[in-house]
Amino acid sequence: RRFVAAPAGWTHAATLDAVVLPAGRSYFLGNCVGCLLPEKSGPGTFLLRLDANGSPDPTFSSDGWAMYADDLLSVEPRALSVEPDGAATAAFRVSFNFSPLGVVVIRWTTAGELDSSFSGNGIGELVDREPGAPIDLVVNPDTGKIVVGIQVSLQSPGDGLLGLTSQGARDLQFGASGWLDLEIEEGTELAALELQSDGKIVAAAT
């Protein structure tokens, strides 16, 4: 067991997803309060990378903690995928004044910086996919394409898969204009995604 303290000044931090790589490094995605610059007083997102010994990795964003927040929108981290080289991709639910707007994907480099090769600034296109929120995502290592599992609710069936291009825009070649309705039975909900070696996606529901 290893306890990692949040940086000084933080008043809240909650981990929402995590990934452990075979070499022992681990990534933790979550939200935080009191973690941003003074001019950004609202909640933010953190991506923490620990080395194999369980300490914040100083080669990742200088202290192991990569931060993100939007100036106007509420961006809630929901799911994380990490490639073997250490680049990280996360799916977020986006809202404004508590009104949901859609889904966006953000990518960081192995050094903990927003990846400028991804959509120009590391932040994908805001895709209108509401109601619903990301529950998991997979990244195809050969094509770079992304598939996000969207969970609606037990009361409103409609869980499905959102296909995105390697640049985080809606993939019109996936499903019906980027959306595949899973048509799972009422009373169940999408829980996880897995990418097989042949590129096929396995979805699990409970």
Side-chain angles (χ1 to χ4, degrees):
R1 178 185 299 181
R2 182 69 178 253
F3 176 77
V4 178
W10 289 28
T11 58
H12 171 80
T15 298
L16 299 173
D17 202 1
V19 173
V20 180
L21 297 183
R25 288 190 303 186
S26 53
Y27 292 70
F28 299 84
L29 176 73
N31 53 32
C32 53
V33 177
C35 53
L36 302 174
L37 298 175
E39 61 268 23
K40 295 182 179 180
S41 59
T45 290
F46 70 82
L47 180 62
L48 167 65
R49 185 168 82 189
L50 303 181
D51 59 25
N53 295 317
S55 299
D57 186 348
T59 66
F60 186 78
S61 191
S62 76
D63 62 356
W65 299 84
M67 310 301 303
Y68 175 76
D70 189 272
D71 291 331
L72 297 175
L73 304 176
S74 173
V75 183
E76 179 187 354
R78 298 298 296 249
L80 175 66
S81 176
V82 181
E83 298 170 37
D85 66 358
T89 305
F92 295 75
R93 179 168 63 179
V94 181
S95 61
F96 179 70
N97 285 341
F98 303 102
S99 297
L101 297 178
V103 174
V104 72
V105 168
I106 297 175
R107 179 170 292 168
W108 289 267
T109 66
T110 59
E113 305 295 334
L114 289 175
D115 187 353
S116 60
S117 70
F118 181 73
S119 194
N121 59 0
I123 304 169
E125 174 185 308
L126 176 62
V127 179
D128 181 12
R129 188 64 249 174
E130 290 294 339
I135 189 64
D136 202 358
L137 80 159
V138 293
V139 181
N140 189 308
D142 297 323
T143 65
K145 290 188 175 184
I146 303 163
V147 174
V148 182
I150 302 293
Q151 184 186 85
V152 181
S153 72
L154 290 174
Q155 293 73 34
S156 302
D159 293 1
L161 304 181
L162 176 63
L164 304 176
T165 68
S166 60
Q167 293 297 304
R170 184 187 293 271
D171 183 0
L172 300 180
Q173 297 179 345
F174 180 87
S177 299
W179 176 254
L180 177 63
D181 193 333
L182 292 180
E183 298 181 353
I184 57 179
E185 63 184 67
E186 187 174 351
T188 61
E189 57 186 5
L190 181 63
L193 300 180
E194 191 66 40
L195 183 70
Q196 297 184 154
S197 59
D198 60 3
K200 293 181 180 179
I201 299 168
V202 177
T206 58

